[in-house]
Amino acid sequence: MTHPRRISAAGEIAAKDPRGRIQVVQDPDPSGPPTALRTANPSWSCVGDAATHHIVFQDDVILARGFFDHVEKAAAAVPGEAVAFYEGWEGRNSGVVRLGALTGASWAYAVDEHVPSLALMLPAEAARGYARFAAEHGDGWPYDVVIQRYLKALGIPVRIAVPSTVDHDDVPSLAGNSKHGWRRATYFTDAAADVVSPDCASFPVVPFYQYGESKCAVRQDGRWEYLDTDRYLRRLGLAERCDADFAEAGEPDLPAEVRRQVWLTAFATGVAVAGATGREPDPEAAAAVMDSLGPGGLCEEYTDAELLPMIPRIRALALAALAAGRTAHGTGARPDAPAATVVVTGGAPALGAE
C-alpha cells in the first residue's frame, strides 16, 4: 500500500519477491487528508482467488533476507492466525517482543492494543472481509485500531515475530505518524529463520515503556488491565526491593525521571522473565532489546540525535535492573491481588469495548 509520491519505493519492495506476487496498491484519493485507512481497504481486498493468506506491507519497510520463504512457512504453520512480522519499539507490544526474546520464544501473542500493521498477514477469508467491516465500523478510527477491532470480532489471535523480520525505514510519514518520532523495530533480524515453529508464547504480565512512563499490561479474567509498574510491584510485594536495588545502582548521566522509569520497566521485565523461565536470557538478545527500550519510551519527547547518546546509558541501567528483577522474583511479601472491576458507562459502545 502506497501513495503516488512513494510509488518508486513501493515498486522496489514488490520486486523483492522472487515469485512476483506483490501488487502495488495506490491511495485511491491521494489528494485527500493523509490516512493509511483509505488505502487499506483496496490493499486487503485484492486477494488472489487461490490464495490461502494475504499480506499487506506499507511502503517504508526493510525486509530480512529470506523473508518470503519465511512467510510461506509461517502461513503453513499457523493457518488460522494473524501474523505481524514487525513491532515498533514505541508500542505496548514492544514489551511482548522483549519478553519473547528474553525467554527464547520465536513468536509471542500480542496484548490488546492496536495491531502492528507495517507488515501483517491474515488468512485469505479474513482479508476479504476487512473492507466491509471497515466501512461499517471504521469511521473515526485509525487503520491499526480498525484492524485490531476486526480481528477481535472474528476471534483471530495476533502473533508477533520474535525477532521482527521487517524493520521500519524511518522516512517521513505521509500519514502523519512522524509526530510519533523516531520509529524502528523493538528487535530486528536481517536474516529470517529457516525453520518456523508453530509454538507461540503468551505472557500474563507485560511491562512496557511508553510516552516516558513505565506500565504493565496484566491479564485478568480474559481482559487486559493497564497500570503503573510501581503499583504492580506493590501488589507483588516487590516495590521496596525494587527501590532498594535502584538506590544501589548509581546515577548514570540521564534525567532522574528517565532513570526511574527505565529501572521500573526493566526490573518488572526481569520478574516476568523469571516467572516464565528459569533460563538465563541470551546476552546478545538482552542487549538488543534494551537498546530499543529508551528510544521506544522517549521517541515522542526526544529527537533521534538526542536519543543516540542516551541509548548505551539506558541499556546499561536496564540490564542491571533486568538482573535485579530476575533475582527478586518470588521474594515478594504477598501474592498478586485480583484487580478491581472497572465498568465504562455512557458514550459510544465501542469505547467500552476498547
Side-chain angles (χ1 to χ4, degrees):
M1 55 188 293
T2 191
H3 187 278
R5 278 185 279 172
R6 294 242 278 266
I7 190 70
S8 176
E12 290 176 7
I13 294 166
K16 292 181 183 296
D17 177 20
R19 293 174 58 184
R21 293 163 292 184
I22 308 303
Q23 300 182 51
V24 175
V25 178
Q26 296 189 56
D27 186 338
D29 182 17
S31 62
T35 171
L37 184 63
R38 189 170 53 237
T39 315
N41 287 354
S43 297
W44 285 112
S45 298
C46 61
V47 186
D49 292 340
T52 63
H53 291 77
H54 190 65
I55 185 167
V56 171
F57 304 99
Q58 296 186 31
D59 61 10
D60 50 359
V61 296
I62 299 170
L63 305 179
R65 296 191 308 276
F67 177 77
F68 290 100
D69 285 343
H70 180 74
V71 167
E72 291 177 7
K73 292 172 183 175
V78 289
E81 297 187 357
V83 182
F85 295 97
Y86 168 87
E87 166 54 32
W89 59 24
E90 77 285 358
R92 294 174 182 175
N93 279 307
S94 64
V96 170
V97 174
R98 288 191 179 88
L99 288 176
L102 293 166
T103 58
S106 56
W107 302 100
Y109 284 117
V111 300
D112 198 5
E113 188 194 22
H114 63 265
V115 171
S117 52
L118 197 73
L120 181 67
M121 181 171 70
L122 300 184
E125 283 307 306
R128 292 185 181 104
Y130 168 80
R132 185 162 74 176
F133 179 90
E136 295 174 355
H137 304 283
D139 188 36
W141 297 93
Y143 163 49
D144 50 9
V145 174
V146 173
I147 203 159
Q148 184 266 345
R149 296 178 63 214
Y150 175 55
L151 295 176
K152 192 172 181 179
L154 293 179
I156 294 178
V158 180
R159 64 169 56 206
I160 303 175
V162 182
S164 293
T165 46
V166 173
D167 204 355
H168 186 263
D169 189 3
D170 201 28
V171 296
S173 171
L174 294 181
N177 291 324
S178 293
K179 64 184 180 183
H180 297 302
W182 187 22
R183 295 171 297 152
R184 300 299 295 265
T186 302
Y187 181 36
F188 173 67
T189 178
D190 60 3
D194 292 330
V195 178
V196 175
S197 168
D199 296 339
C200 190
S202 180
F203 302 105
V205 178
V206 178
F208 60 93
Y209 185 37
Q210 188 181 46
Y211 308 131
E213 297 182 339
S214 179
K215 304 280 186 179
C216 283
V218 182
R219 190 78 171 170
Q220 296 280 359
D221 300 324
R223 296 179 66 88
W224 288 100
E225 176 195 17
Y226 296 93
L227 65 160
D228 293 342
T229 300
D230 54 1
R231 180 182 171 192
Y232 175 68
L233 292 174
R234 284 198 298 274
R235 285 187 183 180
L236 296 183
L238 290 175
E240 291 184 4
R241 173 69 178 270
C242 177
D243 291 344
D245 289 345
F246 178 59
E248 294 178 2
E251 296 189 2
D253 185 17
L254 293 165
E257 188 61 15
V258 170
R259 292 199 309 269
R260 174 67 177 165
Q261 298 302 316
V262 165
W263 182 272
L264 284 168
T265 308
F267 183 94
T269 299
V271 174
V273 167
T277 177
R279 293 190 305 173
E280 182 85 19
D282 176 77
E284 289 188 11
V289 297
M290 293 311 176
D291 265 352
S292 67
L293 182 66
L298 300 169
C299 60
E300 299 211 6
E301 182 179 353
Y302 293 83
T303 66
D304 53 352
E306 292 169 329
L307 283 168
L308 281 170
M310 297 169 69
I311 289 174
R313 301 168 198 159
I314 290 175
R315 181 209 314 131
L317 181 66
L319 289 173
L322 176 72
R326 291 183 65 244
T327 302
H329 174 261
T331 65
R334 58 184 180 275
D336 192 9
T341 298
V342 178
V343 179
V344 178
T345 62
L351 295 175
E354 296 304 315

